[in-house]
Amino acid sequence: TRQTQRWPMVVFFNNRNSGRELNASGGGATNGTPIDQWACTGGGNQAWAVTNLGSGEYQFIGVQSGLSLDVPGNSTNEGVDLELWTPNSGTNQKWMIAPVSGGYYTIQGVGSGLLLNITGSSTVQGALVEQRGSSGQANQWSLRPTAHLQLV
């Protein structure tokens, strides 16, 4: 019998190149909090509720903050750093997830067409997350479901 995926699903995003997690910087929970990569702590600032919006689009809400992964100002430019922002229906908060290989995925902004990427393909803790065209493993992510965090 086939199981149906329940939405939202809460996951950690782990970067293929660095092995670090998608992270709300400093445990931030306010509009404008930068998004970076950090060693896995299992904290709520690294857990994301993935909501299926239909048509292959998803929204990612930070479990700790209740805020959405956001491209500031609906930018379509490469190199724009991502942030947390109040959830809305803008395409700057909608993402498409596509498999690549080895259990990894690219995450593409619906509004910009650019990929979720670690700035400069850095492996350093605290490196910011930006949107960029293809740059190899720095824009590939695994989605690891959380076992211990649940939405309230």
Side-chain angles (χ1 to χ4, degrees):
T1 180
R2 185 174 176 197
Q3 290 184 330
T4 302
Q5 176 59 56
R6 300 184 77 186
W7 299 101
M9 176 175 66
V10 180
V11 302
F12 294 110
F13 292 96
N14 184 271
N15 185 264
R16 187 174 200 167
N17 186 58
S18 67
R20 299 183 187 278
E21 306 286 329
L22 188 68
N23 181 74
S25 184
T30 58
N31 282 341
T33 296
I35 304 300
D36 62 15
Q37 67 176 359
W38 203 262
C40 180
T41 64
N45 64 314
Q46 294 182 342
W48 301 87
V50 179
T51 301
N52 186 341
L53 303 173
S55 301
E57 297 177 358
Y58 299 86
Q59 186 172 37
F60 307 143
I61 303 292
V63 169
Q64 176 173 299
S65 67
L67 300 174
S68 185
L69 182 64
D70 182 270
V71 178
N74 271 325
S75 178
T76 57
N77 297 325
E78 287 198 5
V80 171
D81 297 329
L82 303 184
E83 65 183 8
L84 290 177
W85 203 261
T86 302
N88 60 58
S89 60
T91 58
N92 61 320
Q93 293 185 357
K94 294 178 181 177
W95 307 91
M96 295 186 308
I97 303 170
V100 283
S101 67
Y104 288 89
Y105 301 83
T106 56
I107 300 169
Q108 182 180 36
V110 171
S112 68
L114 298 172
L115 302 174
L116 195 67
N117 185 71
I118 303 298
T119 302
S121 299
S122 177
T123 59
V124 175
Q125 189 153 280
L128 293 174
V129 176
E130 64 178 4
Q131 64 175 7
R132 183 158 302 278
S134 183
S135 64
Q137 293 186 350
N139 59 33
Q140 296 177 16
W141 303 83
S142 66
L143 285 67
R144 182 170 43 88
T146 63
H148 63 283
L149 290 172
Q150 296 191 10
L151 293 178
V152 181

